[in-house]
Amino acid sequence: MSENALIIDPEKCVGCQACVKVCPFGALEMQGKLAVVNDNCTFCGACPPSCKFGAITLKRAKKAAAVDLDAYKGVWVFGEQIDGVIQGVVHELIGEGRILADKRGVPLTVLVLGHEMDDAANELLEYPVDGVIYVDDPALKHYASEPYARVVSDLIGQKKPEIFLAGATAIGRSFLARVAVEVHTGLTADCTGLDITDEGLLLQTRPAFGGNIMASILCAKHRPQMATVRHKVMQAAHKTGGRGGKVEKVTPQSTLLKSRTKRLDWLPELSETVNLVDADIIVSGGRGMQKPENFHLIEKLAKCLGGAVGSSRAAVDAGWMPYSHQVGQTGKTVQPKLYIACGISGAVQHLVGMGSSDTIIAINKDKDAPIFSVATYGIVGDLFEVVPAMIRELGGEA
């Protein structure tokens, strides 16, 4: 079978309309006492389980077992945007994508999905990219996993990039798995390192087994080779004046834009400090803070420095700080100019998230704490004495 098919057996259909009610796209309608399928069907699979009489069969298209690897060329990065603003992780992907593309001798392309983003798409050409594909439609203005995944899968099928990279953000993690399933390829999540062999195999490195080992993963038999990359672990590309590329503007087929969800509103998380991932200065607290009330010291020090408040997983698991402040393998990866770790032992899972900071100051009363192995400066002492002293020195009230 070369295409998907939804088949309704007229001998079994009793006209109960259960499938009509469950279809999110209005793809089923009644003709007399028989349910029929119209062109709105996306083969989502919602209706077969609703039929108690076994009258509905969904047959999926069979994919060829062998993939012509030589048909896939080029490196793509996903140009994630929120409210029309290209996100910082995209510049990091461009920087790493440029290295990979140059090693392969292939073009680097940024794929942007959105609406009324012509200026942003053209601005991307000022970075070291060879071209931008801009898919423009009102339905793509705000992220929705189903249409995003369908549009990207369709373009991959048409243009066949050999490598596709996206940020390991809430958006990238959400929809790229759908794309991998649709195009029948692999996906490595949360990569902290990328390289490529002479044969064009992408070496996708990520922490495994709780961060105790670093695994390099290959996708040898399928294309594209897909990975999500953690924010702040790779160097961001800067504007270079461009490479003479162009923006290819694409209008997607309406059938690709159907979605069972709709964005009603956007409620950003409120915080008194700056965004953790983009902060140049971060003050983090760990289990050594002893109780949630003591995090006011961390907040005061961060405020004095104009920085953000971070936390170890132990403090988050204890309910002392919200998850949005967690730094580490299962939290956020940060790369500030200054990272101050207060009462954090320095488990490998935490070091993965902040080890690339320019300067690290560790405050811990345990002189053997692992955090000192990566610290630029270490202070062995009681944080409840050291931190207030730092606040007073900076002109604040401890």
Side-chain angles (χ1 to χ4, degrees), residues 126-313:
E126 299 178 25
Y127 291 85
V129 304
D130 298 296
V132 174
I133 299 174
Y134 169 38
V135 187
D136 182 21
D137 192 276
L140 301 174
K141 183 174 183 178
H142 301 301
Y143 169 73
S145 59
E146 290 176 300
Y148 266 53
R150 289 196 202 96
V151 169
V152 171
S153 299
D154 183 66
L155 285 169
I156 288 175
Q158 292 180 42
K159 300 182 179 292
K160 292 182 168 52
E162 59 186 294
I163 294 172
F164 189 101
L165 306 177
T169 61
I171 290 177
R173 288 169 171 158
S174 173
F175 90 96
L176 212 61
R178 290 175 176 265
V179 175
V181 171
E182 183 64 27
V183 302
H184 290 252
T185 192
L187 170 64
T188 304
D190 289 344
C191 290
T192 57
L194 298 173
D195 201 355
I196 200 161
T197 69
D198 293 338
E199 296 77 25
L201 288 176
L202 184 64
L203 300 172
Q204 306 159 74
T205 302
R206 71 178 309 279
F209 292 101
N212 292 307
I213 65 169
M214 300 298 287
S216 289
I217 300 169
L218 300 177
C219 181
K221 297 181 179 180
H222 299 274
R223 294 293 183 272
Q225 301 167 91
M226 296 173 58
T228 59
V229 180
R230 297 200 74 166
H231 194 12
K232 293 292 184 179
V233 299
M234 297 176 179
Q235 293 297 317
H238 300 285
K239 292 183 179 181
T240 60
R243 297 165 62 94
K246 296 182 179 179
V247 174
E248 178 186 351
K249 195 169 183 178
V250 176
T251 301
Q253 298 178 20
S254 60
T255 55
L256 300 175
L257 303 176
K258 300 181 186 300
S259 177
R260 287 173 287 182
T261 60
K262 180 181 180 181
R263 171 169 158 164
L264 299 178
D265 199 2
W266 176 259
L267 301 175
E269 182 177 13
L270 298 178
S271 175
E272 295 181 358
T273 56
V274 296
N275 182 278
L276 187 64
V277 173
D278 297 325
D280 288 331
I281 298 174
I282 296 175
V283 183
S284 284
R287 192 187 301 275
M289 299 305 298
Q290 299 183 1
K291 56 184 178 179
E293 293 80 5
N294 291 335
F295 265 84
H296 76 279
L297 288 174
I298 302 297
E299 294 167 356
K300 286 183 178 181
L301 181 55
K303 188 173 182 180
C304 289
L305 294 168
V309 174
S311 171
S312 70
R313 177 173 177 174

